[in-house]
């Protein structure tokens, strides 16, 4: 079975997506590039687009693409409680016929806060994945605590491993992979270079073995998402190049 490759719409850039007319406009590029699916980003919706999720779901299906849904929301709020928006976000993901909803961890403190999550997931019938983001909440220690809590509670929640976000929070991606790999069900693929005291996402360079070696430390059979910039006049060709690269890697 070939490895599934997902293209994150944000890889085309917010301004490019706006100029094209929204996230639905990049679906033909993704489908023509022989990708398996698309990651739809909630933050890129206009209010009108957010109210037209069934139409977007139909358009995605017409392109024979799988879909996952990403919301720029934390699982846990500042006080450690579950984000009350999660049920609505899970329902949006369900409307899109998504494989999963992806959120960041937020201020997770104790496993007792997660008890209600089991019911929310059961009611929605939706899968949840939690990503390491570019904040202190996305550091290795809280991600490890969350992973352990899910195991103790037997919660059906897994991790999205963003390969480069670890650099933003001063962590080693390799060390993170060593501790978290068994819980990873989705990989956000991107490299990064230092830029103005922070980092800038870039495409993995085949000549830079670090990123290929990091992928080898992660599950080989989980979907890989392209989250680095996809730029150029021929977006189908650019997308196809990296779809092929990540599928063969």
């Amino acid at each position: 079975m070939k490895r599934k490759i997902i293209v994150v719409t944000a890889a085309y850039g917010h301004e490019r997506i706006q100029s094209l007319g929204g996230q639905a406009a990049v679906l033909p590029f993704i489908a023509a590039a022989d990708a398996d699916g698309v990651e739809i980003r909630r933050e890129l919706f206009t209010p009108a687009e957010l109210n037209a999720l069934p139409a977007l779901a139909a358009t995605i299906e017409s392109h024979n693409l799988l879909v996952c849904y990403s919301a720029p929301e934390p699982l846990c709020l500042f006080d450690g409680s579950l984000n009350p928006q999660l049920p609505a976000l899970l329902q949006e993901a369900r409307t899109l016929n998504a494989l999963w909803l992806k959120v960041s961890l937020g201020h997770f403190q104790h496993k007792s806060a997660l008890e209600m999550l089991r019911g929310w997931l059961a009611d929605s019938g939706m899968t949840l994945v939690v990503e390491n983001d570019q904040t202190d909440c996305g550091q290795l220690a809280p991600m490890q605590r969350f992973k352990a809590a899910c195991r103790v509670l037997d919660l059906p929640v897994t991790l999205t491993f963003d390969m480069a976000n670890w650099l933003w929070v001063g962590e080693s991606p390799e060390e993170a992979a060593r501790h978290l790999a068994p819980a990873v069900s989705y990989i956000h693929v991107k490299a990064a270079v230092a830029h103005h005291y922070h980092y800038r996402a870039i495409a993995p360079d085949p000549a830079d073995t670090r990123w290929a070696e990091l992928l080898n430390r992660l599950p080989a059979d989980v979907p890989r998402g392209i989250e680095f910039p996809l730029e150029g006049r021929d977006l189908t060709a650019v997308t196809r190049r990296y779809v092929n690269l990540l599928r063969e890697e």
Side-chain angles (χ1 to χ4, degrees), residues 71-237:
E73 290 287 338
L75 177 68
C76 298
L77 302 181
F78 188 77
D79 64 359
S81 64
L82 279 179
N83 187 338
Q85 293 189 53
L86 279 171
L89 296 172
L90 288 164
Q91 183 56 51
E92 290 175 6
R94 184 172 182 177
T95 300
L96 282 172
N97 298 316
L99 298 174
W100 58 73
L101 167 70
K102 180 177 71 65
V103 297
S104 61
L105 179 58
H107 297 270
F108 171 71
Q109 296 176 16
H110 193 271
K111 66 179 184 295
S112 60
L114 301 178
E115 292 289 354
M116 193 180 300
L117 184 58
R118 187 188 313 278
W120 288 357
L121 294 176
D123 290 344
S124 70
M126 182 54 54
T127 298
L128 182 70
V129 297
V130 175
E131 180 182 30
N132 58 295
D133 65 7
Q134 296 175 7
T135 73
D136 290 348
C137 299
Q139 291 180 324
L140 179 56
M143 295 297 291
Q144 284 183 278
R145 288 198 300 271
F146 175 70
K147 172 192 168 189
C150 289
R151 184 176 65 250
V152 169
L153 295 173
D154 195 26
L155 277 175
V157 180
T158 53
L159 304 181
T160 293
F161 188 99
D162 188 296
M163 293 169 57
N165 279 357
W166 302 106
L167 300 178
W168 268 264
V169 297
E171 299 276 14
S172 160
E174 292 79 10
E175 184 70 5
R178 186 170 74 86
H179 290 283
L180 301 178
V184 170
S185 65
Y186 180 39
I187 302 169
H188 262 185
V189 178
K190 67 174 182 265
V193 293
H195 181 72
H196 296 313
Y197 305 104
H198 292 288
Y199 287 87
R200 176 171 59 88
I202 60 171
D205 183 347
D208 183 351
T209 61
R210 179 181 190 182
W211 305 105
E213 291 169 356
L214 179 58
L215 280 171
N216 287 335
R217 296 170 183 248
L218 296 167
D221 58 347
V222 304
R224 295 176 175 180
I226 293 175
E227 207 202 13
F228 48 83
L230 295 172
E231 302 169 330
R233 295 183 63 182
D234 188 339
L235 290 179
T236 296

